Amino acid sequence: MGYNATIRYITIELTPIQQTTVCDYLRSTGFSVNKGYMTGGSFNSNNERREAWYVYADMDDLKYGIETGDLVAVFDSFGYSASCPQGSSTITDLSYHGDTGDSGWLFNAIAKALPDMKGYIEWSGEEGDHFRWVFKAGEVEEITPRMVWENE
C-alpha cells in the first residue's frame, strides 16, 4: 500500500538538456524494464517476494517517455503533471496528489543522473504531516520539519 501526498512547493528546475540526460540515464540503467523496482506484492516469512501484482507507473507510457527522451511523459506515467512557462521547455513545476507509490525510485534516479542538481520538493501527506525530498550530491534525502512552540 502506498502513501497519499500532495506537492506543496518545488524549487528544482529541469532544462531540456537535463531532461535528455535523465532519460538517457533511465534508458542506460534499464529503469523501465526492471519491474523489481516498482512492484508491490506478497512476501514469505523470510521477506522474500512470493508474488508481484501491481506497478504504480503506466509502464507503456514510461517506456515511451524514456525511449523518446520525453521527461514530461515519464512524469505523466507516474501521475505527475509537469509544466513549463509559456515559450520555454524547462520544467519548473510539478503537481501531484495521490499515492506516492513508486515515484521515489524515479526521483532517486533523477538525482543520480543530475548529481549537481540542488533543491527540494515539499510534500503534504496523510494526517497533515509535511516532508521534503532534498536533492543534493546525487541523492535524495527525506527530511521533516522541526516544530517549535513559542513560550507564552
Side-chain angles (χ1 to χ4, degrees):
M1 181 169 176
Y3 178 80
N4 280 301
T6 302
I7 292 179
R8 293 173 35 96
Y9 190 72
I10 180 171
T11 64
I12 60 172
E13 293 185 353
L14 296 162
T15 67
I17 292 171
Q18 290 173 313
Q19 294 172 48
T20 300
T21 300
V22 169
C23 288
D24 289 346
Y25 177 82
L26 295 174
R27 188 179 317 107
S28 72
T29 60
F31 188 82
S32 67
V33 295
N34 187 352
K35 292 183 182 177
Y37 284 142
M38 299 181 288
T39 58
S42 61
F43 297 84
N44 65 22
S45 61
N46 294 324
N47 205 28
E48 297 166 332
R49 185 183 307 276
R50 290 188 318 190
E51 182 180 15
W53 63 78
Y54 62 85
V55 175
Y56 286 97
D58 180 315
M59 295 305 286
D60 291 333
D61 288 350
L62 176 61
K63 289 175 188 174
Y64 170 82
I66 291 171
E67 292 306 316
T68 60
D70 184 349
L71 191 58
V72 172
V74 171
F75 281 126
D76 187 57
S77 74
F78 281 89
Y80 288 80
S81 179
S83 57
C84 307
Q86 188 171 357
S88 173
S89 298
T90 297
I91 296 172
T92 59
D93 196 22
L94 289 174
S95 60
Y96 184 80
H97 173 76
D99 195 328
T100 56
D102 306 313
S103 59
W105 292 109
L106 174 61
F107 287 102
N108 278 292
I110 291 171
K112 286 180 181 12
L114 303 171
D116 295 332
M117 183 175 70
K118 294 180 182 171
Y120 62 85
I121 300 173
E122 185 173 299
W123 295 87
S124 175
E126 294 175 3
E127 300 177 12
D129 51 337
H130 297 278
F131 59 96
R132 285 182 178 175
W133 287 350
V134 179
F135 294 77
K136 189 167 81 173
E139 295 187 4
V140 179
E141 178 185 4
E142 185 173 307
I143 62 170
T144 55
R146 187 179 68 131
M147 183 181 289
V148 178
W149 294 95
E150 288 186 33
N151 291 334
E152 294 186 14

